[in-house]
Amino acid sequence: MAALAYTLGKREINHYFSVRSAKALALGAVLLLAACHAALRRYRGDDTCEYLLSSGRFLGEKVWQPHSCMMHKYKNSEAKNCLLDKHIVFIGDSRIRQLFYSFVKLINPQVKEEGNKHGNILFEDKSASIKVDFLWYPEVNGSMKQHIKSWVEGSIAKPHVIVAGAATWSIKIHNGSNEALTQYKINITSIAPLLEKLAKSSDVYWVLQDPVYEDMLSDSRKMITNEKIDAYNEAAISILNSSSRNSKAKVKVFSVSKLIAQETIMQSSDGLHLPESSRETSAMILMNVYCNKILKPIDGSCCQPQPPLTLIQKLAFCFFALSIIGYLILSFINRNNHRKNKPCTDMESGEEKKPVTNTSPVSTLETLLHSFCKLGLIMAYFYLCDRANLFMKENKFYTHSSFFIPIIYILVLGVFYTENTKETKMLNREQTDEWKGWMQLVILIYHISGASTFLPVYMHVRVLVAAYLFQTGYGHFSYFWIKGDFGLYRVCQVLFRLNFLVVVLCIVMDRPYQFYYFVPLVTVWFMIIYATLAVWPQIVQKKANGNCFWHLGLLLKLISLLMCIYFLANSQGVFEKIFSLWPLSTCFELNGNVYEWWFRWKLDRYVVFHGMIFAFIYLALQKRQVLSEGKGEPFFSNKMSNVLLFISVVCFLTYSIWASSCKNKTECNELHPSVSVVQILAFILIRNIPGYARSVYSSFFAWFGRISLELFICQYHIWLAADTKGILVLIPGNPMLNIIVSTFIFVCVAHEISQITNDLAQMVVPKDNATLLRRLLCIAGFFSGLLFLSAIQDQSRH
C-alpha cells in the first residue's frame, strides 16, 4: 500500500514538476536576482570597501564576516610585501593606540605593548622599510590640527595611510558637558578640510568611537556613556566630507569597529578598552582595505576591482554572441518556412489537416547553434557570479552542525528514494551512479561548509576522491578488457566528455587547466590505462580465454605500470621535468610551477592501479562462475559471505578510527595512497555481498551521480565563489534561503551542461575515422591558436 502511494505520488509530482520546468524556474530566478542585485548596486553603490568599513557580523568567535564580500587573513610575509616602503600613522587616544599595536603585530608578532602610554610610539621594520607611528593626541583640538596641517602645508612627507580618531578624553575631562560636544564639532569642522586634502594623495580613515560597557567603568569614567559616544559619532559623520566635492578625495569613516565592539565590549577588562580579539579584527579590516587592491588575494574580494577582460575572454564572448545571433536568425527563417506549411484546421471537426509537404527536421547546424546559445547564456551567469561584482560573496565558516546535519538530511532522502536494480551484478551501472552521486553530494557539503579544517572529515573525503579514481581504473579497464575497443572514436568521446566544460571555463573564467585539478587527474589516468592496454601486445578477455599465457602477459603489463608509478612518485625532479615541457607546462602549471599537479597526482597514485587489479580479479572470477550474482543471492556461500562481510565491516571501521586519530595532514597524506583502498574495498564488499543490498539502489543518489562531473566543476564558480574560497550570496541576510536558492540553480545548470556536452559530443566526435581525423586537425589548430593568444596575454601582463 505504501509502495503504491509512493508511486502515485511520484507520478503526480513528475506530472506538474519536471526537470524542464525546474530549469525554467531557475532561469526566472537568475534573471530576477540579477536585476535586484544590479538595482541594489546602483542604489547603494558597488564599492565593497564601504561595506567592509561599515557593516558585517560575527560568524563565530573571532570570525568577522563583512557584508557582501570576503576578507583575507593576512600573514606577516603578505603584510610586509604590501606595506613595502610605506609610512602609516595612527593619531588619537588610547583606543587608537590599541589599534596601532594590533596593526603592528600583523607585521611583526613579536612586538610587545610597552613604553609610555601617553606619548608617541614609533615602529620600524628595516627589512621592508615600513614605518608605523602612533601620535598621542587624545583630543580633537588645535594641537591635532597643527600636526595634520604640517602634513598638508609643510615640507614633511605625507604618510601613505592615516588612521585618526578621538572623543572619550573630551567627554571625560569636561564631564560630558554639552559645551564640550559643541567645541568638538567646531574642532572637527576645522580639521575636516585638511583631512580631505590629505585624502587626495593618502588613505585617510576616521575611526568612530566604540561603545563602552557602562557597568564596568571606573568612577572617573562614569560620565563616558554610550549616549554621549553616539552624539560624538553623529557629529563626526555629519561633518566629515561635507565640504568635499571630489568623490575620490573622501575621508573613509571606519565605523565597523563600533559593530565589532557591540558584540565584544562585555569581555573588556575596564569597560572602555576593547579585548584583544576585537582589535585584531579591526586591524585585519584595515589591512584588507589597503592591501587587497595591491596583492589581489583570491579569498579577499573586498576592495578589489573587477578584473579586466582578457583578449581570449573577449573573443569567447564574441563567439557566443555570434552563436546566439546565428541561432535566432536560423530559428526565424525556419519559423517562416513552418508557417508556410502550417496545417489548416477543420472548423467543424476541430481536427488538423496534414500539410502537403512535411516539415524539415531540425538541422545539425541549428542544433549546434542552439547548444552554443544555451552554453553562452550559462557562461554569462558563471562570469557574473565569480568575476563580475554583481553578486555578493562571503567567507566559509565551519561548524560540525553545518556539515553533519546536511549529511543526515541527504542520507534520509537517498534511502527514501529506493528502487530495484535492472541487473544484480557487482558495481552495475545503477550502483556506480548511486556511489558517484552520494559521494559527490558529500564532497559538495564538505566544500561549502569549509570542513577541510576538521582533519577526520578531510581524511574521509580524501577517500571519496580516491574512490572516484578507483572507479576510473575499474570502469575503463573493464571496458577495454571486455570490448577490446581501442579505436580513436572511443578515446575522443571520453576525452571530450571529460574536458569540454573545463576547457570552456578556462577560456571564459581565465583559469589554468590545472585549476580544475580533478579533470586533468582523470584525463591523465585514462590515457595511462589506454596506453597500458593498447600497446603491443593488445591483451583482451577474448584472447586470454583461449590461452592462459595471455593472463601472464597482462600481469607483466600491470607490474610495469606499478613500477613506473612508484618511480615517478619518488622522483619529483623527473616528474616535474616531464610536465614542465611545452606544451604540457601550459596545462599542468599552477602559479608558475607543476608542484600542485605533482602533489595531487602523488596523493592518489596507486588507487587507479588498485581499481584495474580489482576489475581483473572480479571479471576472472565472474568468467569462471565462482560468484553468485542472482537476485537476492549472497555473493558467495553463506559462511564465506558472513566471514567476508564481518572482515569488511572491521576494516571499514578500523580505517575510520585511524583517519580520525591522525595528528596532522602531512602525516595522514603520506599513508593515504597505500591505505585508502582498504576502505574502498570494504565498502564495495559491504554493498554487494548481501543479495538484497545488491538488488536495490537509490534513484535519488543515482540521478546526481549521472551529473557528478558537472556538479564538481560547476561548484567552483556558481555555488562557491572566489574560486572555491568563499560562498556565493544570491540572497543576502538569509543564509538558509540563500543556500536553497543557489543550490537549486546550481543543480539545474549542471544538468543542462551535462545535456549540452552529450549533444555536442555526438556532433563534434563522428564515428567515421576520416571525418574524425579532420576534426582533430581543426581542434589541434584551435588549441595552437589558444596557446599563441595565451602567450601574448602572459607577455602583456608581465
Side-chain angles (χ1 to χ4, degrees), residues 266-474:
M266 289 174 289
Q267 302 168 22
S268 171
S269 58
D270 58 8
L272 177 68
H273 297 100
L274 296 178
E276 189 173 358
S277 61
S278 302
R279 293 183 278 138
E280 289 172 354
T281 302
S282 294
M284 190 64 74
I285 290 171
L286 278 175
M287 192 70 74
N288 273 260
V289 172
Y290 187 76
C291 291
N292 281 4
K293 56 182 175 288
I294 298 172
L295 298 184
K296 296 182 171 67
I298 294 174
D299 61 342
S301 64
C302 300
C303 300
Q304 280 205 50
Q306 181 176 334
L309 287 171
T310 64
L311 175 61
I312 293 176
Q313 285 176 311
K314 290 176 182 176
L315 291 174
F317 289 142
C318 288
F319 170 79
F320 284 123
L322 290 173
S323 297
I324 293 170
I325 294 169
Y327 174 71
L328 293 175
I329 292 171
L330 203 60
S331 297
F332 179 76
I333 293 170
N334 289 341
R335 183 175 294 180
N336 283 343
N337 291 336
H338 178 70
R339 282 176 180 174
K340 292 177 182 178
N341 298 322
K342 188 175 180 181
C344 301
T345 303
D346 190 332
M347 298 303 293
E348 292 183 5
S349 63
E351 295 179 353
E352 292 185 348
K353 295 179 180 179
K354 292 182 180 180
V356 177
T357 57
N358 293 325
T359 56
S360 59
V362 178
S363 66
T364 304
L365 177 61
E366 187 175 356
T367 305
L368 188 68
L369 289 175
H370 186 222
S371 296
F372 281 126
C373 178
K374 291 188 292 184
L375 187 64
L377 294 174
I378 290 171
M379 288 301 110
Y381 178 63
F382 271 76
Y383 187 85
L384 289 175
C385 286
D386 209 22
R387 287 296 174 269
N389 289 328
L390 179 64
F391 296 118
M392 302 175 180
K393 303 174 180 68
E394 287 189 354
N395 294 91
K396 300 176 186 178
F397 177 65
Y398 175 73
T399 60
H400 291 322
S401 60
S402 67
F403 177 76
F404 289 105
I405 290 177
I407 293 292
I408 295 170
Y409 180 71
I410 64 162
L411 179 63
V412 171
L413 280 175
V415 172
F416 181 76
Y417 288 94
T418 302
E419 297 181 11
N420 293 326
T421 57
K422 293 178 181 177
E423 56 178 326
T424 55
K425 293 181 180 180
M426 178 185 283
L427 294 179
N428 57 68
R429 181 59 182 270
E430 290 158 329
Q431 189 182 124
T432 53
D433 283 342
E434 174 202 83
W435 193 8
K436 290 178 183 177
W438 71 256
M439 287 196 303
Q440 185 57 63
L441 292 176
V442 171
I443 290 171
L444 290 175
I445 295 169
Y446 165 82
H447 281 155
I448 202 165
S449 63
S452 59
T453 56
F454 186 48
L455 193 54
V457 173
Y458 167 81
M459 288 307 301
H460 283 85
V461 170
R462 286 254 44 92
V463 175
L464 300 188
V465 175
Y468 268 102
L469 294 171
F470 181 93
Q471 285 195 45
T472 298
Y474 174 86

Side-chain angles (χ1 to χ4, degrees), residues 777-797:
L777 286 174
C778 294
I779 292 171
F782 168 76
F783 280 110
S784 299
L786 201 60
L787 290 173
F788 176 72
L789 291 174
S790 180
I792 293 175
Q793 273 185 190
D794 290 339
Q795 286 183 352
S796 64
R797 283 171 178 169

